[in-house]
Amino acid sequence: MRLVNTLAAAGLALLFACQTVPPVTVPQIPIVQVPQGPPPKPKIALVLGGGAARGFAHVGVIRALEQEKIPIDMVVGTSVGGLIGAIYASDLSSFDLEWTAFQLEKEDLFDFGVLNAVTGMGFAKGDKLEAWVKSHIKTTNIENLKIPFAAVATDLNWGYKVVLDSGSVARAIRASAAIPGVFQPVQHQGKILVDGGVVDNIPISVAKAKGADIVIAVDISGNLGNTNITNLLGVSLQATNIMFALNVEQSKRNADILITPAGIGDIGMLDFTQKKRCMQAGIEATKQAMPNVRRVIDAWVAAHTRPAVPAH
């Protein structure tokens, strides 16, 4: 009997020894690329600073950006920056902008008169400037321009920054460019307004507040040196130039890309004979800035593109 039990036990052991244990399979979770569609696009704002006749550099900046196919989704401008910006926002063509801007002469903007200076609050009334804008920008109201636009002015009574993003294009440009002591202040939207450069010559903060993801700002404030001041008008212009340059130092730090056309700082604020020189400086400065422009755009797109996620 003991022998039978021993043989039975040995048989069972042999039976179990011959069985193989199946391998354990760990399910693999595949990583798949979730369809993303087109990559996200940042909202790019172009902010154009004031600087009177040096504003023709803005034309060159816009031409270069257009050639490089950098989309502009918003324009914000002070003084001449508002003027050039509004012309572009109405047509979205650097060729038309150049054609229109280069027709502009000092006599088209400044209706100087001795009586204005004696009895008014500026050498020029500003009627000519407003009439020129009306005749060259066919869109009457800001909200109907082809891309969002805002001009910046200053409340003369209280020193506030005033953002003009609706209503008359021509009136907004006249107010934004009303250099104190040169143009008479402008009554608009229940306020007395002067040049926006008094408080913010490169209104980057306005573009940010309006939802811009990336701000390309253009500084044409120039240098402060001027040894050829011979009359009251020259005093007013130089005081304005100093005021513009000083507040630019603070605001330009907030630009994602800052373009500063070189070699135009010696051009007088009323010198309309240097249009091509200013424009070429704008083109060259923008071309030099293009690697940085593309780097900033690519970094924004990368930061806002969702990575691949596990499939469920």
Side-chain angles (χ1 to χ4, degrees):
M1 188 64 178
R2 180 178 298 174
L3 178 60
V4 172
N5 290 337
T6 300
L7 291 174
L12 288 172
L14 182 62
L15 177 64
F16 283 113
C18 293
Q19 289 182 342
T20 58
V21 180
V24 178
T25 303
V26 179
Q28 298 294 317
I29 301 176
I31 304 298
V32 298
Q33 185 72 35
V34 176
Q36 298 289 321
K41 293 182 179 180
K43 182 182 289 186
I44 300 175
L46 180 63
V47 176
L48 305 176
R54 293 189 291 265
F56 291 101
H58 292 321
V59 179
V61 171
I62 291 171
R63 180 204 265 193
L65 290 173
E66 188 175 276
Q67 288 175 341
E68 296 288 343
K69 296 182 170 48
I70 302 299
I72 301 301
D73 303 296
M74 178 195 314
V75 178
V76 180
T78 291
S79 199
V80 69
L83 172 61
I84 299 298
I87 297 171
Y88 181 67
S90 68
D91 278 335
L92 295 182
S93 165
S94 64
F95 177 81
D96 291 339
L97 168 63
E98 182 179 342
W99 176 260
T100 301
F102 272 67
Q103 296 177 56
L104 183 62
E105 298 294 342
K106 181 171 66 176
E107 293 73 23
D108 294 320
L109 305 182
F110 297 95
D111 40 10
F112 290 121
V114 175
L115 192 60
N116 294 335
V118 174
T119 63
M121 291 187 285
F123 288 93
K125 292 188 294 183
D127 291 342
K128 271 192 171 183
L129 168 57
E130 187 169 355
W132 190 91
V133 174
K134 284 181 178 178
S135 65
H136 288 82
I137 299 179
K138 301 307 180 184
T139 304
T140 302
N141 292 322
I142 292 173
E143 53 267 40
N144 295 328
L145 293 170
K146 292 183 179 179
I147 58 175
F149 169 81
V152 174
T154 302
D155 186 317
L156 182 61
N157 292 119
W158 303 105
Y160 298 141
K161 182 182 344 185
V162 178
V163 179
L164 302 172
D165 54 8
S166 65
S168 168
V169 174
R171 197 72 172 175
I173 298 308
R174 177 177 177 177
S176 180
I179 301 171
V182 178
F183 285 105
Q184 292 188 15
V186 178
Q187 292 198 6
H188 184 51
Q189 297 185 355
K191 302 176 180 68
I192 299 178
L193 303 177
V194 294
D195 196 302
V198 173
V199 291
D200 195 352
N201 201 40
I202 306 183
I204 295 164
S205 60
V206 174
K208 295 278 190 179
K210 287 184 165 295
D213 298 308
I214 295 173
V215 172
I216 302 173
V218 186
D219 177 16
I220 57 167
S221 55
N223 59 48
L224 296 180
N226 186 351
T227 59
N228 188 30
I229 302 171
T230 59
N231 52 43
L232 183 57
L233 178 60
V235 171
S236 297
L237 288 170
Q238 177 63 0
T240 299
N241 196 32
I242 293 170
M243 190 165 37
F244 285 3
L246 292 180
N247 72 49
V248 159
E249 286 304 312
Q250 177 64 33
S251 60
K252 70 183 184 182
R253 300 170 190 169
N254 297 318
D256 297 293
I257 299 106
L258 182 67
I259 297 174
T260 306
I264 62 172
D266 63 324
I267 296 175
M269 294 183 74
L270 300 186
D271 185 358
F272 280 65
T273 67
Q274 303 294 318
K275 297 174 185 176
K276 289 187 177 180
R277 176 182 160 193
C278 289
M279 180 175 169
Q280 188 60 37
I283 292 172
E284 292 173 0
T286 306
K287 287 183 176 179
Q288 291 176 5
M290 280 313 303
N292 189 36
V293 172
R294 297 197 185 281
R295 190 181 309 116
V296 170
I297 293 173
D298 290 345
W300 188 95
V301 171
H304 292 80
T305 300
R306 291 182 302 171
V309 296
H312 296 290

